Amino acid sequence: MSTPIPRPGEHLPGTRPTVDPARVREEVDALLTRVREGAPVADAASTDQSVLLDQAEMLEQAHEVLVQALSTVDKI
C-alpha cells in the first residue's frame, strides 16, 4: 500500500513560496562587495566610524536576505 506522505505547507491555500538560490547569492554577493569596497585601508591610522556603521548595516541586510530565504525554505 502506498499512502502519500503529507508535506509541510501542502494544506495551505495559495501558491507555494519558492527560493531562487541564484537570486539569494546575487543579493548577498552584492552586499558583501559593497562591504569590501568600504573597508578601511589596512595601514590607516584610524578607522572612520561611519564606514564601520555602513558596513554593519550592509552585513545586517545580507543576514536578513539569508534569514528570509531560510524561512521560506522552512515553509516549503
Side-chain angles (χ1 to χ4, degrees):
M1 252 184 221
S2 177
T3 304
I5 299 172
R7 303 283 183 224
E10 283 185 345
H11 65 286
L12 300 174
T15 60
R16 290 184 184 169
T18 60
V19 174
D20 179 9
R23 184 193 58 78
V24 172
R25 191 175 302 114
E26 182 180 307
E27 284 185 49
V28 171
D29 284 345
L31 289 164
L32 293 179
T33 297
R34 288 179 55 200
V35 169
R36 282 186 221 103
E37 289 172 352
V41 179
D43 60 350
S46 65
T47 303
D48 185 7
Q49 186 175 5
S50 66
V51 171
L52 292 176
L53 291 173
D54 289 342
Q55 289 175 326
E57 183 178 333
M58 286 180 266
L59 289 172
E60 285 181 34
Q61 290 174 2
H63 178 260
E64 187 59 30
V65 169
L66 294 171
V67 168
Q68 289 299 320
L70 288 172
S71 175
T72 300
V73 168
D74 192 38
K75 293 177 186 175
I76 295 176

